[in-house]
Amino acid sequence: MTTGVETTQIPDLTDPQTFAPGVPHEAFARLRETPGFHWQPTEIATANGGFWAVTRFADIVEIESNPALFASQPGGAWPSTNLSPDPAENPLYNNLMMMDPPRHSSVRRVAAAAFGPRIVKNFDPWVREIVVEVLERIERLDEFDYILEVAQIIPSFVVARVQGVPAADRQWIVDQTLAAFEAMQTADVNAVGEVLSRTFTYYREKLVPEKLRNPQSDMTSVLIHAAERGEITEAEAYDFLNLLQAAGFETTHTLIGQSMRMILESPEIAEKTFRGIQELGPDKVIDEFLRYITPAMFMSRTATQDTVVGGQPVRKNDLLNLYFTAANRDPAVFANPDEFDPWRTETASLAFGSGPHRCIGNALAKLELRILFEEMAKRDFRLRLNGAPQRGWSTFINQIRSLPVARVS
């Protein structure tokens, strides 16, 4: 397999240990500067014995804009890839991330009607209620883990509210989400299927019957009634609820946790954050956090025929991992890309992907962090590190699992 850089210079991108100290930005910088793509060997979840690591912004945009040539159906995120086209053998067949047009378009259209930016802006009052409730609880604590008490709680409650999940079931939903992410990292499709089966059973036996009896302004009601009208299938409706549960929680959980870690670890970033909010408003600052953090570090596509992209010959069924985290520091797009700079003019990052699969929940993720910043500022809520942050064990999500903090009086 031809590759433009010596494999010994690049860490194993399939090994979570590579990402344990942090995202390997130096290695990604070498890959961006090298013609073609880097071939990462692995027999796990690939048809041709490995995947191409795509790290340049322009190449990723080109690939994501052409789903006919670079498909999502065999799997949208390694190692949940090289999946069967047979629905009976593929537990992720009805997952929106694993669909291509036109099927993808029909499901996304239904979901977007209840989840687009114009709808999400009306979520402000009840999202603010959740944030205020969380802050009022931790105001009584002198020391706590910011991840457990804030970064996990806010998005889990928000997603549950969007889904229409009763408050009593919210923690169970979060537990299933975490279990699914752990299973994905072991490339155990059966384990992922077991988690999805549990949540599918919950939706089918408890949540959906209630929404059929008593429709409300939540995503479950929208999806299940769309299924009744034949706009999507029942399985597609259930699987979108599973996707919303996972993606809506984990991405925002990472954004909230990593942004606070950066603020607490770097006086320079803290100063730029607070000054940026005052001078620019919170949205520009949040966009820069998203670029800099890039919660979902990559997504995957599979070539449907022999082709050439980014100067690299690619075979049919080759897997391509699109490293958004590398592209978001591409100097061809971003000036001084390793610098945190809310005043930068280049704002079209790939934190939420691009093309037909651009994350449908991006407006909600940004709303949650904006409200959190606003409510913390109102309370002059100041923290300091109270121990070493602990990263997650993931090749996929830029995870942080623990952030010990203490109140500053």
Side-chain angles (χ1 to χ4, degrees):
M1 183 62 60
T2 302
T3 180
V5 64
E6 289 294 329
T7 303
T8 54
Q9 297 177 7
I10 303 301
D12 185 351
L13 299 177
T14 71
D15 186 355
Q17 183 60 44
T18 295
F19 296 83
V23 180
H25 285 297
E26 292 185 4
F28 284 139
R30 291 198 295 273
L31 294 182
R32 282 194 307 266
E33 295 166 358
T34 305
F37 303 149
H38 170 65
W39 179 255
Q40 172 64 63
T42 178
E43 297 300 323
I44 297 174
T46 62
N48 292 339
F51 59 76
W52 295 109
V54 185
T55 56
R56 287 183 289 273
F57 193 103
D59 295 335
I60 291 177
V61 170
E62 179 181 353
I63 290 167
E64 288 206 295
S65 69
N66 192 345
L69 188 55
F70 301 102
S72 298
Q73 187 277 321
W78 182 88
S80 294
T81 45
N82 196 32
L83 300 175
S84 171
D86 183 350
E89 299 177 3
N90 181 355
L92 300 177
Y93 178 80
N94 291 300
N95 187 299
L96 187 68
M97 288 170 53
M98 316 296 179
M99 295 180 190
D100 295 307
R103 186 164 172 250
H104 171 269
S105 306
S106 62
V107 177
R108 185 181 174 99
R109 189 178 307 113
V110 169
F115 209 46
R118 286 182 294 181
I119 302 297
V120 168
K121 71 179 182 180
N122 298 319
F123 291 178
D124 186 306
W126 63 259
V127 172
R128 196 171 297 274
E129 288 177 5
I130 290 172
V131 172
V132 168
E133 178 184 339
V134 168
L135 293 181
E136 287 179 346
R137 185 180 65 253
I138 63 175
E139 279 179 336
R140 300 188 293 268
L141 304 175
D142 293 326
E143 301 177 351
F144 57 94
D145 190 324
Y146 189 82
I147 303 304
L148 298 180
E149 299 292 343
V150 180
Q152 284 190 0
I153 298 290
I154 290 173
S156 65
F157 280 22
V158 167
V159 169
R161 173 71 179 266
V162 170
Q163 290 178 311
V165 172
D169 297 337
R170 289 172 182 170
Q171 188 57 53
W172 184 84
I173 287 289
V174 173
D175 292 343
Q176 303 313 304
T177 302
L178 296 175
F181 270 88
E182 291 299 322
M184 286 174 65
Q185 289 310 303
T186 65
D188 188 340
V189 176
N190 291 329
V192 174
E194 289 174 8
V195 176
L196 297 182
S197 178
R198 289 197 294 270
T199 52
F200 178 89
T201 300
Y202 168 79
Y203 298 139
R204 182 186 61 204
E205 297 182 358
K206 186 173 182 178
L207 190 61
V208 166
E210 172 59 27
K211 301 304 177 183
L212 288 172
R213 290 190 300 268
N214 183 27
Q216 297 174 327
S217 57
D218 56 54
M219 184 61 76
T220 302
S221 297
V222 168
L223 291 169
I224 203 63
H225 284 277
E228 280 199 321
R229 295 189 298 269
E231 297 172 15
I232 59 175
T233 69
E234 188 177 83
E236 289 167 348
Y238 286 135
D239 272 50
F240 187 85
L241 291 173
N242 270 321
L243 175 61
L244 177 61
Q245 167 197 330
F249 169 79
E250 185 61 39
T251 300
T252 311
H253 155 263
T254 297
L255 175 63
I256 291 174
Q258 290 285 28
S259 61
M260 181 55 71
R261 176 194 63 79
M262 290 167 56
I263 290 169
L264 297 181
E265 287 186 338
S266 170
E268 179 182 358
I269 288 177
E271 188 276 333
K272 288 182 177 180
T273 297
F274 302 134
R275 182 163 55 89
I277 290 174
Q278 290 179 343
E279 295 180 3
L280 305 168
D283 291 341
K284 289 276 289 182
V285 176
I286 292 168
D287 284 340
E288 180 66 349
F289 271 120
L290 281 162
R291 181 193 73 87
Y292 207 79
I293 295 167
T294 311
M297 293 186 286
F298 72 89
M299 295 300 291
S300 303
R301 299 291 183 265
T302 300
T304 59
Q305 64 186 54
D306 291 354
T307 188
V308 176
V309 60
Q312 178 65 57
V314 173
R315 299 171 298 174
K316 181 179 180 179
N317 293 326
D318 271 0
L319 185 68
L320 300 95
N321 276 5
L322 315 181
Y323 281 96
F324 303 144
T325 191
N328 278 342
R329 300 200 183 193
D330 188 339
V333 178
F334 302 100
N336 302 313
D338 294 318
E339 177 184 345
F340 180 81
D341 179 13
W343 290 266
R344 68 172 61 253
T345 57
E346 326 91 341
T347 57
S349 85
L350 292 175
F352 292 111
S354 65
H357 277 276
R358 178 171 165 77
C359 177
I360 197 172
N362 68 86
L364 182 58
K366 293 195 281 190
L367 176 68
E368 291 174 58
L369 188 58
R370 175 174 64 77
I371 291 175
L372 178 59
F373 280 164
E374 291 172 352
E375 294 298 328
M376 291 182 75
K378 286 180 185 178
R379 291 162 175 75
D380 193 25
F381 200 93
R382 288 186 263 178
L383 301 171
R384 63 172 175 82
L385 282 175
N386 194 37
Q390 299 296 318
R391 285 183 58 81
W393 188 257
S394 176
T395 63
F396 179 45
I397 299 293
N398 188 9
Q399 290 178 336
I400 179 169
R401 285 303 183 195
S402 179
L403 184 62
V405 298
R407 294 289 302 277
V408 176
S409 56

